[in-house]
Amino acid sequence: MNRINPNPFTTRPEIVGTFGVVTSTHWIATAVGMGILERGGNAFDAAVATAFTLQVVEPHLCGPGGDAPLILHDVRRGKTEVVCGQGPMPAGATIAHYKSLGLDLIPGTGLLPACIPGTFDAYMLVLRDYGTMRLADVLSPAIGYWLNGHALVERASATIATVAEQFRTHWKTSAAVFLPGGDVPKPESLFRNVTLGNTYARILKEAEAGGGGREAEIERARRAWSQGFVAEAIDSFCRTQDVMDVSGKANRGVLTGQDMAKWQATVEAPLTYDYGRYTVCKAHTWTQGPVVLQQLALLKGFDLDGMDPTSPDFIHLQVECLKLAYADREAFYGDPAFVDVPMQTLLSDAYNDDRRNLIDPASASLEQRPGKVDGYGGVVKLRRADGVRLGVASSGAGEPTVGRVGQTNGDTVHFDIIDKDGNMISATPSGGWLQSSPVIPELGFPLGTRGQMFWLEEGLPGSLAPGKRPRSTLTPTLAHRDGKPYMVWGSPGGDQQDQWITQHFLRHVHCDMNLQEAIDAPAWHSEHFPSSFWPRTARPGVLVLEGRIPKDTVAELKKRGHEVEVNDAWSEGRLTAATRDDPWRKAAANPRGMQGYAAGR
């Protein structure tokens, strides 16, 4: 019997069209982004509208108080650029201050880990310099959903349930928003955040009040955020509120209105690495993004073409390469405005030829083995997960991500967009989620907690300093193929992001999988290295596999010394991806757990 569709089964079709594609971690955000393209906006207009909508519909994963790195290619400018929406630490965030509070780690909740919120200014920069629409065009859909309500996703309800007692006891301003009537809102109940909707409506009203063109409106909106009523409310809350956090004590924040007023989002060139036909582009070492480039520099020495992506060799080689790359992340990465990171050496053939010799094709390493570059880097003391006790106060700490025993506690968000002209953008907004910091009552949203990624030891690339950006896990990706911009992709997932991003790329490039096949394929992650989030522990040798990995592969990986844990069948990653291969625009999205959604025509 002849099959109408000769392609392998996928959980959903790979979207194919010529007009444009939008793929994101929530269906409403995807629909809003596609609607902007349909009304004549470009990919960057659609990106801003999508990003604001994700703050509404996934409040357990991102929010206005969080962070957002973006990577884009603008056809008019003819170049790929990174927009940094990662705010730095406040002027009062010194190691001495935190140690004076009796801390040896920055708490993962409360006000102390708050950076300057970066999302709003980054989105305004993208709209002003790359977009075409007015502020009302891209902000009104989100305002409408905040004021009128949306169906609350199951994971948001479950996340609220995990911190409900914390809200009732300690964070009553959060209870007022997320426990309507005193109860945890049920999945698919109509959920509103009227205060937050009014905050953005007021920003829009102030932006439009002065007249002038779209650029003038955008600049007034930026001032309302960083120098106006938003900054004033944040300043007052941090100065006056003692907030319970994971330290077991109530602490005040150090973020001020002056910090807000002094910072703006920036644009920079990406770091790149050539891998066969492809040039992969990532943000600099204020993110963990370059670990993808380092993994590729190591993997370039192996013949991966045609390998079975679920075979023990394919998985083992990737795991051992990522262990070396992530060890270098801990030793060398930090804000390049503060830290001289030897990226040229770390990506050089000579360095990687030497590092590749450390990989035993038959045995898993259980050691942390950073490279040595004279005059650079530092040594991070390993904190083993089995040596850390977590109390009740740890609720909401760290980044919500895929659990190691199968549960999905949440994630970040992600989206990829390509328009008919070939403009493309990828972004991974996160932070400011509802469970890690109390709501500022006048504004309707909490601050972020990205500062927990800093160390309170002096002399490390990741040591805390005022004005310094944390080495974020947020890491969108863009690749050129044969010299032309080709693909944007990424995933939520904290430390796992650049493991799943690399896996997807290798399956697409070496295993001839389309975007959806590469997303659907069984995946895995390592927990060998120190976590980026409180309490900053490592689980040496631990390799978590999806339950669909063949049993023979599981047995062989155990034989090679990996500390294997088998997760649920569909539990690894929340990837989305989009490509431009003229005349086609293609997109795909994750089918797991909190599913992603792609649209296009």
Side-chain angles (χ1 to χ4, degrees):
M1 180 178 178
N2 292 328
R3 295 177 60 198
I4 295 174
N5 182 358
N7 297 318
F9 170 79
T10 53
T11 57
R12 60 196 60 196
E14 180 184 60
I15 300 297
V16 181
T18 59
F19 178 77
V21 289
V22 179
T23 180
S24 84
T25 50
H26 195 284
W27 68 90
I28 291 178
T30 295
V32 166
M34 196 66 203
I36 293 292
L37 294 183
E38 296 278 3
R39 293 196 293 277
N42 66 16
F44 312 121
D45 298 314
V48 176
T50 299
F52 280 125
T53 304
L54 285 168
Q55 292 179 2
V56 186
V57 296
E58 297 193 295
H60 56 308
L61 309 182
C62 70
D67 330 282
L70 308 95
I71 190 166
L72 56 86
H73 186 87
D74 183 354
V75 172
R76 294 172 301 173
R77 300 183 183 209
K79 59 182 177 179
T80 298
E81 295 176 299
V82 171
V83 176
C84 176
Q86 175 58 66
M89 287 299 276
T94 65
I95 290 176
H97 174 69
Y98 287 80
K99 286 193 169 181
S100 74
L101 300 174
L103 300 170
D104 61 355
L105 286 174
I106 297 175
T109 63
L111 298 179
L112 286 174
C115 297
I116 298 169
T119 57
F120 186 82
D121 200 73
Y123 300 156
M124 292 302 97
L125 185 153
V126 169
L127 183 64
R128 184 194 68 188
D129 293 351
Y130 303 92
T132 63
M133 287 185 157
R134 308 290 286 239
L135 182 58
D137 297 324
V138 298
L139 190 51
S140 293
I143 293 173
Y145 283 113
W146 270 311
L147 296 179
N148 300 318
H150 59 92
L152 193 69
V153 295
E154 185 275 335
R155 286 314 314 169
S157 173
T159 300
I160 294 169
T162 65
V163 289
E165 195 54 40
Q166 169 105 337
F167 286 2
R168 295 185 181 107
T169 305
H170 299 296
W171 297 356
K172 297 185 186 300
T173 57
S174 293
V177 174
F178 294 108
L179 298 175
D183 298 321
V184 175
K186 294 180 180 180
E188 297 189 5
S189 61
L190 188 66
F191 183 80
R192 300 179 178 89
N193 186 341
V194 174
T195 302
L196 182 47
N198 287 336
T199 293
Y200 274 115
R202 179 176 172 183
I203 290 173
L204 179 58
K205 182 178 180 180
E206 292 188 11
E208 293 178 332
R214 58 185 297 275
E215 291 81 5
E217 283 184 2
I218 292 167
E219 288 307 303
R220 283 192 292 270
R222 295 174 87 181
R223 287 195 296 273
W225 178 272
S226 64
Q227 301 173 42
F229 77 97
V230 175
E232 291 170 1
I234 290 173
D235 180 284
S236 175
F237 194 77
C238 289
R239 279 190 296 104
T240 62
Q241 299 302 306
D242 297 303
V243 169
M244 181 63 68
D245 58 43
V246 293
S247 71
K249 299 178 181 178
N251 292 294
R252 293 190 180 186
V254 295
L255 179 61
T256 69
Q258 189 173 15
D259 294 315
M260 298 274 292
K262 288 183 176 180
W263 182 82
Q264 287 190 328
T266 55
V267 179
E268 60 190 50
L271 292 174
T272 64
Y273 186 76
D274 293 332
Y275 186 83
R277 300 171 61 191
Y278 299 85
T279 298
V280 180
C281 307
K282 300 290 282 187
H284 214 293
T285 52
W286 51 270
T287 75
Q288 70 178 6
V291 296
V292 167
L293 310 184
Q294 287 199 251
Q295 289 175 75
L296 295 178
L298 290 162
L299 288 162
K300 188 169 69 173
F302 300 101
D303 184 7
L304 303 180
D305 281 341
M307 268 194 183
D308 179 351
T310 61
S311 69
D313 286 344
F314 195 77
I315 295 173
H316 176 79
L317 288 175
Q318 289 182 64
V319 173
E320 295 307 296
C321 287
L322 79 84
K323 287 176 182 177
L324 297 177
Y326 275 76
D328 280 355
R329 180 192 78 167
E330 296 305 312
F332 297 109
Y333 289 17
D335 184 347
F338 287 74
V339 179
D340 189 4
V341 183
M343 282 311 306
Q344 187 172 354
T345 298
L346 297 181
L347 296 177
S348 69
D349 288 344
Y351 179 83
N352 285 284
D353 289 345
D354 183 57
R355 297 280 279 161
R356 202 177 295 117
N357 289 330
L358 297 174
I359 296 172
D360 185 337
S363 180
S365 170
L366 301 181
E367 302 174 35
Q368 303 290 330
R369 299 183 291 178
K372 291 182 173 62
V373 182
D374 289 343
Y376 297 89
V379 178
V380 173
K381 296 177 182 178
L382 190 65
R383 297 166 58 90
R384 296 182 65 95
D386 53 13
V388 175
R389 299 179 63 186
L390 304 181
V392 175
S394 66
S395 295
E399 180 171 55
T401 185
V402 176
R404 60 176 63 103
V405 292
Q407 81 278 15
T408 303
N409 295 327
D411 267 290
T412 296
V413 300
H414 184 83
F415 63 83
D416 304 294
I417 301 173
I418 305 176
D419 66 25
K420 66 182 187 307
D421 296 319
N423 296 304
M424 53 205 313
I425 184 167
S426 180
T428 313
S430 187
W433 43 64
L434 66 89
Q435 62 271 31
S436 293
S437 193
V439 165
I440 298 168
E442 298 88 348
L443 303 177
F445 66 83
L447 294 172
T449 54
R450 191 71 48 182
Q452 66 187 283
M453 293 181 168
F454 284 109
W455 297 104
L456 294 180
E457 289 79 25
E458 301 277 3
L460 300 175
S463 297
L464 175 66
K468 188 176 183 179
R469 292 171 290 184
R471 195 268 305 137
S472 175
T473 53
L474 307 175
T475 172
T477 316
L478 188 150
H480 295 239
R481 188 174 72 179
D482 299 330
K484 299 178 181 178
Y486 171 66
M487 181 163 70
V488 280
W489 77 109
S491 175
D495 293 305
Q496 289 94 287
Q497 288 181 33
D498 282 314
Q499 300 183 52
W500 296 324
I501 285 168
T502 305
Q503 290 172 49
H504 180 272
F505 179 72
L506 295 174
R507 290 192 288 259
H508 184 60
V509 170
H510 292 290
C511 305
D512 199 29
M513 289 183 167
N514 70 29
L515 298 181
Q516 193 62 53
E517 290 173 301
I519 289 173
D520 287 354
W524 45 265
H525 75 269
S526 170
E527 299 185 357
H528 176 75
F529 42 84
S531 169
S532 297
F533 295 91
W534 188 93
R536 309 302 305 275
T537 55
R539 304 179 75 214
V542 170
L543 175 60
V544 182
L545 304 174
E546 264 189 335
R548 293 177 294 131
I549 298 289
K551 291 181 179 179
D552 289 348
T553 295
V554 175
E556 177 58 27
L557 291 170
K558 289 180 178 179
K559 183 179 176 181
R560 296 186 192 188
H562 296 279
E563 300 288 338
V564 173
E565 297 179 2
V566 179
N567 213 332
D568 289 345
W570 295 88
S571 55
E572 291 285 313
R574 291 184 69 209
L575 284 154
T576 68
T579 56
R580 166 193 174 185
D581 188 11
D582 291 334
W584 304 115
R585 307 289 181 260
K586 299 181 180 181
N590 165 62
R592 298 162 174 85
M594 296 180 295
Q595 300 179 24
Y597 301 85
R601 69 171 179 85

